[in-house]
Amino acid sequence: MRFKELGKSGIKVSNIAIGCWAIGGDKFWGGNEEKQSIEALQAAVDNGITLIDTAPGYGSGVSEQIVGKAMKGRRDKVVLATKVGIPIGPDADGACHSDYEVIMRQVDESLERLQTDYIDIYQIHWPDFLTPVDETMAAMAKLKEQGKIRAIGVSNYDEAMLAAALDCVQIDCIQPQFSLLHTVNQPIMEFGAPQGVGVLSYGSLGSGILTGKYKEIPTFKDGDARTEMYGPLFQEPMWSKIQQLLVVLREIAEAHNVPVGQVAINWTAQHPLVSSALVGARTAAQAEQNAAAGEWDLTDAEIARINEAHTQIFGGGLLGKRAVWSGTRAKKYKRG
């Protein structure tokens, strides 16, 4: 497994991480089986992955609870990353809240679910357009001073938001969506790098389409994340373009005698601006397969070949759309 320093935090993370949205078992992923999820998390750690990324919003706390159970007796072997801001339970309103009181309350709730007395990387899950950034970052700095968290991160921010946060406190990492099929966030990665901001990227496999497992356009249930967040990938014209790219990825995979998905993971993980590429896994076999991508490297020539094919197929532009929070509070803010 490759390892990288996370920005200026002093924390070393595995270059491939396990993302835990799916194991929350909420409506986006069609349920979940706790025992299977625990086995997946433990398999990831047993195969070299040290970074586990979760959030209260993943299944209304279920994902954090499962991570806590899975890492009992293994806490010293892992870097735990979670998030703050998305209310759960009766307070859920579809928006992110990052005011001082919410952060101070939610951190203790996360610590309890994770069965730990500190969080390695604590991230603002989405922008909060109503709370002043200095209030948000004062709370995060206070948690770091108290020893409840080791590093401060933000997720789904743009450059202006990141700059405002950096004016208040050192931001150790950002979490943007970034993959072969979503490159539009590269500018914020480039913006943060000179200021010591690491990158935890999500969406490495494009919700599974970059594994090559779909032979024809699939049909998903209403509300499935692959329809809501990744819908355009499973529609024309993107579907056919992705199939063209997969031809190149398969040839490289065959040369290394590895699954196609590992090529896509390594393209992201080996990007010079990426500290760790998050990849979801619902079974131990998936976790082992994802971790195995960290045991070999794409050559410079192979990366160049993928990039050339990418340019020819997609036209050389940045793919995807910026994540924009459109919840209740954001709408209020935009109305003034």
Side-chain angles (χ1 to χ4, degrees):
M1 178 63 66
R2 299 177 294 267
F3 291 87
K4 291 187 177 181
E5 295 285 340
L6 183 66
K8 293 181 178 179
S9 70
I11 300 173
K12 185 173 288 187
V13 296
S14 54
N15 188 217
I16 297 169
I18 184 165
C20 299
W21 185 11
I23 71 170
D26 59 20
K27 65 176 184 176
F28 291 103
W29 300 100
N32 191 46
E33 205 284 308
E34 183 176 294
K35 182 175 180 293
Q36 180 177 271
S37 297
I38 289 174
E39 291 172 349
L41 287 163
Q42 293 176 342
V45 175
D46 291 343
N47 284 273
I49 287 176
T50 63
L51 175 58
I52 299 174
D53 180 84
T54 183
Y58 300 164
S60 295
V62 171
S63 178
E64 285 188 326
Q65 290 172 345
I66 291 175
V67 170
K69 292 176 182 179
M71 292 302 106
K72 196 169 185 178
R74 300 169 181 244
R75 179 65 181 92
D76 60 338
K77 297 181 179 180
V78 296
V79 174
L80 289 183
T82 192
K83 306 176 187 74
V84 62
I86 302 294
I88 62 177
D91 294 330
D93 65 359
C96 187
H97 301 254
S98 58
D99 46 280
Y100 194 95
E101 186 274 333
V102 165
I103 291 173
M104 291 301 177
R105 183 183 74 250
Q106 283 196 7
V107 71
D108 288 333
E109 295 169 348
S110 288
L111 288 168
E112 182 176 355
R113 286 189 290 265
L114 290 166
Q115 299 184 44
T116 185
D117 55 4
Y118 70 96
I119 293 163
D120 295 289
I121 306 166
Y122 204 42
Q123 304 156 93
I124 304 298
H125 203 152
W126 284 90
D128 175 351
F129 297 100
L130 295 184
T131 301
V133 67
D134 56 347
E135 177 182 339
T136 297
M137 294 307 153
M140 299 293 273
K142 184 65 175 180
L143 294 180
K144 193 170 182 180
E145 178 186 323
Q146 292 174 339
K148 291 185 177 181
I149 68 174
R150 297 176 63 201
I152 298 171
V154 295
S155 180
N156 300 304
Y157 273 40
D158 63 18
E159 291 89 328
M161 297 170 189
L162 176 58
L166 281 164
D167 282 342
C168 302
V169 68
Q170 175 60 41
I171 301 299
D172 298 300
C173 65
I174 54 174
Q175 187 172 146
Q177 185 178 2
F178 183 74
S179 73
L180 274 165
L181 303 179
H182 201 103
T183 58
V184 72
N185 286 315
Q186 182 158 322
I188 191 172
M189 294 159 56
E190 295 171 345
F191 175 81
Q195 301 176 76
V197 181
V199 175
L200 309 182
S201 62
Y202 70 87
S204 303
L205 291 174
S207 198
I209 198 169
L210 287 175
T211 65
K213 67 180 180 181
Y214 298 109
K215 306 307 178 187
E216 57 184 30
I217 298 178
T219 300
F220 302 114
K221 294 180 180 179
D222 290 343
D224 191 293
R226 288 162 292 188
T227 297
E228 296 196 358
M229 281 191 66
Y230 298 93
L233 305 183
F234 296 95
Q235 301 169 13
E236 296 293 2
M238 280 295 290
W239 170 265
S240 293
K241 291 182 177 182
I242 293 169
Q243 302 316 302
Q244 294 178 53
L245 180 63
L246 282 168
V247 171
V248 176
L249 301 188
R250 284 193 182 96
E251 291 176 356
I252 294 173
E254 289 172 2
H256 288 273
N257 193 29
V258 299
V260 175
Q262 289 188 15
V263 178
I265 291 171
N266 272 349
W267 183 89
T268 299
Q270 288 181 231
H271 191 287
L273 296 177
V274 172
S275 309
S276 189
L278 306 181
V279 191
R282 299 186 67 159
T283 67
Q286 290 175 352
E288 291 170 6
Q289 189 174 101
N290 294 341
E295 302 304 318
W296 65 277
D297 294 328
L298 289 165
T299 66
D300 290 343
E302 288 168 338
I303 293 173
R305 184 185 175 197
I306 293 170
N307 290 344
E308 181 180 3
H310 193 277
T311 299
Q312 291 176 348
I313 295 167
F314 298 106
L318 296 175
L319 299 182
K321 293 182 179 180
R322 284 289 178 92
V324 177
W325 186 244
S326 57
T328 304
R329 301 186 97 197
K331 290 176 181 176
K332 285 183 180 178
Y333 178 80
K334 289 176 182 177
R335 287 199 300 267

